[in-house]
Amino acid sequence: MSEQESNSTPNKNVPLESKLQQFVKRENGQDPNTGESYQSFQTMFKEKYLDEENQLTEQWYEKSKEYWENIEPTVNGMLGGYEHISAADIVGSFSFLKMFINGTHRSLNRSGYCLDVGAGIGRISKNLLSKIFSHIDLLEQCPKFEEEAKQFLEGIDYRFFVSPIQEFIFPEDTKYEVIWIQWVIIYFTDEDFINILKNCAHSLTKDGVIIIKDNVNSDPGFILDTDDSSVTRSEEHLNILFEASNLSVICERYQNNFPENLFPVKIYALAPNK
């Protein structure tokens, strides 16, 4: 599917906070692993992950942290046993990213920095980002992946930061041409999602972009996976979160040539509103 340029104007008659609150009260969802259904996104969090004072418990983020700590530090591990999709993934990502190199949308500085968020052992940094940019930063919360990255990324100029992104302090002396976030946003609450994107936006160069590539639910509603505390959102939900983060979608595209049994995957290029 070809990329779509975003020409829509946000509805300024509805406050963003109210818009998001209204949405999460009405969007229903399910957990296919357990067969549970949820009346709304808000209800799901309240029933499973909020304490009596409506504060997020440690269970949400601890479950995903535990899941990844038990994953083998290999390309197959990074892709959940789907190593065979790596080549198609990189081809799709390169096709999308090159529009921001050749001036179709923007002309990014190839001698600048890019940031790979949720980098794992550096699969995307090695096969995609290092082919385009001179300087690569990797951000990953699991320390054991850094050890594997030392061999996996041999010969590449990079820096490795070990931290959850919601706690990460961006380097003050670095601005990024691209902040690449792939298969990561499914692990965040809406509140953290917005805060993370706002922090990323402050660390971009003047023409820099945030690129999100992740699972989407092409049908209305969300899909919860309690095995790793992840939630696949609908496209409508994502667009509300982008708007709430003061970001505009420059273009978007579905990933092609993935197995039909996987979620649809979509790539978004986001830039701060001027």
Side-chain angles (χ1 to χ4, degrees), residues 59-85:
Q59 182 183 359
W60 176 258
Y61 284 120
E62 284 300 316
K63 191 67 181 267
S64 60
K65 181 181 177 183
E66 178 184 333
Y67 173 85
W68 283 103
E69 285 176 345
N70 288 294
I71 293 297
E72 61 179 11
T74 63
V75 171
N76 196 49
M78 300 301 95
L79 291 173
Y82 287 88
E83 182 176 7
H84 58 282
I85 72 170

Side-chain angles (χ1 to χ4, degrees), residues 183-230:
W183 284 317
V184 174
I185 61 171
I186 54 177
Y187 297 107
F188 299 137
T189 65
D190 281 357
E191 181 180 4
D192 283 340
F193 189 127
I194 292 168
N195 289 333
I196 287 164
L197 289 186
K198 286 181 176 180
N199 288 337
C200 287
H202 288 310
S203 292
L204 292 174
T205 60
K206 179 182 177 182
D207 292 323
V209 292
I210 299 168
I211 295 183
I212 288 180
K213 185 171 185 178
D214 219 309
N215 299 341
V216 296
N217 187 14
S218 54
D219 297 320
F222 64 89
I223 305 295
L224 175 68
D225 187 341
T226 49
D227 288 345
D228 63 354
S229 283
S230 66

Side-chain angles (χ1 to χ4, degrees), residues 92-162:
S93 296
F94 182 79
S95 175
F96 187 82
L97 186 54
K98 73 179 182 182
M99 294 187 296
F100 298 88
I101 303 301
N102 63 18
T104 301
H105 289 288
R106 299 185 177 198
S107 294
L108 300 178
N109 180 8
R110 297 186 64 170
S111 63
Y113 278 84
C114 66
L115 176 65
D116 182 359
V117 175
I121 64 172
R123 181 187 69 90
I124 296 167
S125 288
K126 178 177 181 177
N127 297 310
L128 175 67
L129 300 177
S130 67
K131 309 297 185 185
I132 298 173
F133 297 100
S134 299
H135 305 286
I136 315 293
D137 283 352
L138 295 87
L139 176 58
E140 170 56 50
Q141 72 169 352
C142 188
K144 75 175 184 180
F145 293 157
E146 180 183 15
E147 291 303 310
E148 182 62 27
K150 291 177 181 177
Q151 295 183 356
F152 193 72
L153 299 175
E154 187 175 359
I156 295 174
D157 178 24
Y158 75 92
R159 298 184 297 186
F160 203 109
F161 300 97
V162 178

